[in-house]
Amino acid sequence: MKRFIGFVQKEFYHIFRDKRSLFILFGMPIAQIMLFGFAITNEINNVDIAILDRSKDVTTQEIINKISASKYFSILQVLENGTEIAPVFEKGRVKAVLYFEKDFSKKLIAEHRAKIQIVTDATDPNMANTISNYISSIVQNYQQEQNRAIDIKYQIVPESRMIYNPELKSVYMFVPGVMTVILMLVSAMMTSISITREKEQGTMEILLVSPLKPFQVILGKVFPYIFLSIINAVVIVLLSIFVFHVPVTGSLILLGLETVLFIIVSLALGILISTIAATQQTAMMISLMGLMLPVILLSGFIFPISSMPWPLQLISHIVPAKWFIIIVKGIMLKGVGLAFLWKETLVLVGMTLFLIGLSVKKYKIRLE
Amino acid sequence: MNTIRYIVQKEFKQIFRNKGMLPIIFVLPLLQLVVLSNAATYEIKNIAFGYVDYDRSSTSRGLIDKFEASTYFNVLYAFPNASNGSSALLKGDVDIILEIPRHFERDLQKDGRNHLGVTIDAIDGAAAGVQNVYVNQIVNSFNTNIMSDLRRPSDAVSRPVVIEGIPLFWYNETLNYKTFMVPGILVLLVTMITLFLSGMNIVREKEIGTLEQINVTPIRKNHFIIGKLFPFWVIGMGLLTIGLILAKLIFNTPMIGSLTLLYFYTSIYILVILGMGLFISNFTDTQQQAMFIAWFFVVIFILMSGLFTPIESMPKWAQLLTEFNPIKYFVEVMRMVMLKGSGLVDILPQLLKTLLYALIMNGLAVWSYKKAS
């Protein structure tokens, strides 16, 4: 035991001596949370649009004023004819062109009906769709104002209540995601590379012939990273509470325990990678190239899993990050306890056992 | 010139000798391109929908049928009361609960107006907003139906004005997300591979001590650097090529613009990334450190590239930061040239900034390399 403690101490020294890595290790979660919280949002805001008004009458001007008064759009350009639309889109800044037909007001008065074409640059389908919806709803509001005098009968009005995140803040969505990405990659990447490093430099064999048992060697290497990851998790949670006011409605203790569980899963994954990879470079490429995009894309961090085609939904089940994100959202935002999260927790426990079992098996083979 | 050729040869041999790395460099990224492009969609569908119907009238049934018929909402649960509904929301089994109050039909006929309770799980705020729009659309179309069904002869008929908004989706009429995501994800993969490989490479020689051996040979430093980096440039261009072929074959991604222009831009872009890799190598002592720094920047570059979330929505200071993000320019150029057919003049701003970036980055890298040795 004393030897083991000595070994762990040595590993800690190793890490703490490397100021640069340490700076990044602790700076990273802070930088990322700040960026996500303050800068990155998947709402739309200040979208540049252009106007093509063939009518130029009072009504079209009123609608244009409504649109430019909203925080969603700013009018960058006024076009004179339809041939100008394509070049404007090819330049890239303008995302939509509002095309008012000729005699807009006149038609509205005579036929009670007039058309606005909302031409969007749909290379970004999400943006195009959202812009289209927003403009339609602004136009609809205007229409309702015009119709106010008329009493429209038989209306059902849905009253929507947004729960768990009434202000629709995107930081609520991103905090669990950033936490997951950082914990997963730091844990998996660090362990995989630090064990492979010993292998590559030939020092692993020296360690293995030392009186320490192989599992103690591994545990000793992994232990400092458990510690570092926990500090990272604490920093992320503190920042989200105090800077972004994300609530923790559930139990902090449960959140802590689940986080440790997730860190262990990721570390186990790192160990498995290190048993496969012979060089640091391979280990790093596997953990970075192999984990980064799947973790970002298949975990429900940014894109909703339920909208993916079913084979991908199936694949997402084997991404530990997916389960952890459900757990974090459950505890922090919904305030649920283990009674609601036992399934996800069991999945993570199962993954840990499987990964550790697999690495132990691989590891033995290698030593024979 | 000969020296460079030999170094390039040596580097290529080293890369291709390492059988473990080959699949990681070539297969893994392309596999991800094919698989993950399907994952990146903001489209909201398959919304898990539940309802509590306290009224059980033909009107309430009719409304629920509307939701059942919609392609957006697919799983339907009927809950006997509101508290069952809330607990399903907590569990995450449903995203939306519609609550139809008692005497819904009666009140609607009496007052001509009624309210519905809609509860939406809004943790994903953007998705919740879209779901709300869908609910409103369905209820509105239901409203037009009942208006014609229930309208009594005594009701005054006055014609409301209708301003029709007709959406036209240019360049991607079917709103296909893959068209949008494939070029973007290809950019990420090319960037990550070239940055990680180059960033790790020289520091590796430093770590195992072979860099000093090279420094005492008559090889000139700039020859050495060019020789070292050239293979990664080739790998990057190769990946782009295979990726474009896959994009065409599997996703039928449009390639409207000039491929020559795309390659020309990419050839400069990769220089930026290689310069960064070299710069990182110079400032680190171990591969581990290099990897951390590379990762740190890549994550920030990816998230602030406009690939997944729009840059326009960012605050001004963040938009300013994105000016230093090479991935942003590459994503823009890819999408502009491939999907819209933008030409040289359209992408000139991006091209010039990338060129400047390449010059600065490589200048710094070479300068710091000399200093380091």
Side-chain angles (χ1 to χ4, degrees), chain A residues 18 20-21 24 28 31-32 35-36 38-46 85-86 89-92 95 104 108 111-129 132 139 142-143 147 150 152-165 168 173 185 189-190 193 197 200-201 225 280-282 284-286 288-290 292-294 297-298 302-304 306-309 312 329 333-334 336 340, chain B residues 21 24 28 32 35-36 38-46 87 89-92 104 108 112-116 118-124 126 128 132 136 139 142-143 147 150 152 155 158-172 175-177 180 188-189 192-193 196 200 204 207 283-284 286-289 291-293 295-296 298-300 303-304 308-310 312-315 317-318 336 339-340 342 346:
Chain A
D18 178 2
R20 222 172 273 161
S21 301
I24 290 176
M28 204 153 47
Q32 290 190 347
L35 283 179
F36 265 118
F38 287 120
I40 296 171
T41 155
N42 45 11
E43 301 150 27
I44 68 159
N45 264 324
N46 311 318
I85 300 177
F89 281 152
E90 275 155 33
K91 275 218 158 48
K95 305 290 178 200
F104 194 88
L108 213 54
E111 301 162 30
H112 289 257
R113 187 174 276 278
K115 287 183 201 139
I116 304 171
Q117 290 191 335
I118 307 159
V119 189
T120 43
D121 173 353
T123 45
D124 182 343
N126 180 52
M127 182 83 118
N129 211 1
S132 225
V139 171
Y142 177 79
Q143 178 188 308
N147 289 334
I150 310 165
I152 299 172
K153 283 212 139 179
Y154 308 117
Q155 284 279 356
I156 301 170
V157 184
E159 279 179 350
S160 301
R161 195 165 65 95
M162 302 288 183
I163 52 171
Y164 311 130
N165 177 9
L168 305 183
M173 177 77 175
L185 286 163
M189 189 165 81
M190 294 289 279
I193 204 166
R197 184 180 184 190
E200 198 176 2
Q201 299 180 336
Y225 294 115
Q280 288 184 67
Q281 206 175 12
T282 320
M284 183 233 28
M285 290 302 271
I286 295 178
L288 277 186
M289 289 304 295
M292 183 140 92
L293 280 187
L297 293 177
L298 287 179
I302 300 181
F303 300 103
S306 60
S307 301
M308 295 173 193
L312 278 177
K329 283 179 186 165
L333 304 169
K334 294 182 175 177
V336 294
F340 282 89
Chain B
M21 280 293 269
I24 302 173
L28 194 64
Q32 292 195 6
V35 174
L36 294 179
N38 291 295
T41 169
Y42 274 116
E43 208 178 350
I44 308 294
K45 49 185 187 185
N46 307 328
S87 106
L89 268 173
L90 263 185
K91 254 189 218 153
F104 177 71
L108 185 65
R113 189 166 269 280
N114 211 334
H115 294 269
L116 270 180
V118 179
T119 312
I120 302 177
D121 173 348
I123 289 179
D124 183 347
N132 194 26
N136 279 314
V139 173
F142 187 71
N143 278 338
M147 264 200 290
L150 295 181
R152 283 158 291 187
D155 291 341
S158 40
R159 258 176 91 189
V161 295
V162 176
I163 302 172
E164 234 180 319
I166 303 168
L168 295 173
F169 300 111
W170 278 24
Y171 308 112
N172 184 2
L175 296 182
N176 183 347
Y177 276 81
F180 177 61
L188 292 191
L189 294 168
M192 281 161 72
I193 286 280
F196 294 157
M200 220 62 38
R204 175 161 193 262
E207 202 176 357
F283 273 96
T284 47
T286 64
Q287 292 179 67
Q288 203 174 13
Q289 287 174 1
M291 173 198 67
F292 265 144
I293 294 175
W295 182 58
F296 179 70
V298 161
V299 173
I300 290 177
L303 296 177
M304 300 196 72
F308 299 137
T309 59
E312 290 88 345
S313 309
M314 297 176 186
W317 61 266
M336 285 167 82
L339 309 181
K340 286 190 278 196
S342 304
D346 297 314

Side-chain angles (χ1 to χ4, degrees), chain A residues 81-355:
Chain A
N81 66 63
T83 55
E84 290 173 47
I85 300 177
V88 150
F89 281 152
E90 275 155 33
K91 275 218 158 48
R93 266 192 74 183
V94 168
K95 305 290 178 200
V97 176
L98 274 197
Y99 187 161
F100 294 90
E101 63 177 344
K102 249 192 174 144
D103 303 325
F104 194 88
S105 274
K106 276 187 208 153
K107 278 190 180 161
L108 213 54
I109 293 163
E111 301 162 30
H112 289 257
R113 187 174 276 278
K115 287 183 201 139
I116 304 171
Q117 290 191 335
I118 307 159
V119 189
T120 43
D121 173 353
T123 45
D124 182 343
N126 180 52
M127 182 83 118
N129 211 1
T130 318
I131 291 173
S132 225
N133 281 337
Y134 281 17
I135 291 180
S136 299
S137 74
I138 294 175
V139 171
Q140 205 130 67
N141 276 341
Y142 177 79
Q143 178 188 308
Q144 261 160 26
E145 280 169 26
Q146 301 302 302
N147 289 334
R148 189 161 290 156
I150 310 165
D151 179 29
I152 299 172
K153 283 212 139 179
Y154 308 117
Q155 284 279 356
I156 301 170
V157 184
E159 279 179 350
S160 301
R161 195 165 65 95
M162 302 288 183
I163 52 171
Y164 311 130
N165 177 9
E167 289 161 68
L168 305 183
K169 287 187 184 166
S170 46
V171 66
Y172 282 33
M173 177 77 175
F174 289 144
V175 164
V178 172
M179 201 159 145
T180 309
V181 169
I182 289 178
L183 292 183
M184 174 111 197
L185 286 163
V186 166
S187 315
M189 189 165 81
M190 294 289 279
T191 30
S192 70
I193 204 166
S194 90
I195 296 176
T196 339
R197 184 180 184 190
E198 303 272 351
K199 269 160 72 177
E200 198 176 2
Q201 299 180 336
T203 43
M204 194 64 168
E205 259 129 61
I206 300 173
L207 281 177
L208 289 178
V209 296
S210 76
L212 285 167
K213 293 194 184 78
F215 85 90
Q216 284 180 317
V217 172
I218 304 273
L219 205 65
K221 293 226 135 267
V222 157
F223 193 77
Y225 294 115
I226 300 184
F227 179 75
L228 290 176
S229 300
I230 290 176
I231 294 181
N232 268 342
V234 171
V235 170
I236 294 173
V237 172
L238 288 180
L239 282 176
S240 33
I241 295 174
F242 292 109
V243 181
F244 297 105
H245 309 290
V246 180
V248 183
T249 33
S251 145
L252 260 179
I253 296 169
L254 182 63
L255 183 65
L257 291 175
E258 296 276 8
T259 307
V260 172
L261 175 64
F262 182 65
I263 292 171
I264 293 173
V265 179
S266 317
L267 290 170
L269 196 62
I271 295 172
L272 182 65
I273 294 173
S274 73
T275 63
I276 300 167
T279 63
Q280 288 184 67
Q281 206 175 12
T282 320
M284 183 233 28
M285 290 302 271
I286 295 178
S287 43
L288 277 186
M289 289 304 295
L291 294 180
M292 183 140 92
L293 280 187
V295 167
I296 293 180
L297 293 177
L298 287 179
S299 63
F301 172 13
I302 300 181
F303 300 103
I305 293 175
S306 60
S307 301
M308 295 173 193
W310 68 266
L312 278 177
Q313 296 196 21
L314 226 57
I315 297 177
S316 77
H317 288 325
I318 61 164
V319 178
K322 170 196 163 163
W323 304 101
F324 185 61
I325 286 187
I326 298 177
I327 292 174
V328 176
K329 283 179 186 165
I331 298 175
M332 288 185 77
L333 304 169
K334 294 182 175 177
V336 294
L338 214 48
F340 282 89
L341 297 169
W342 61 270
K343 202 177 83 190
E344 288 78 10
T345 311
L346 268 186
V347 171
L348 288 184
V349 171
M351 283 178 172
T352 313
L353 295 177
F354 174 76
L355 288 171

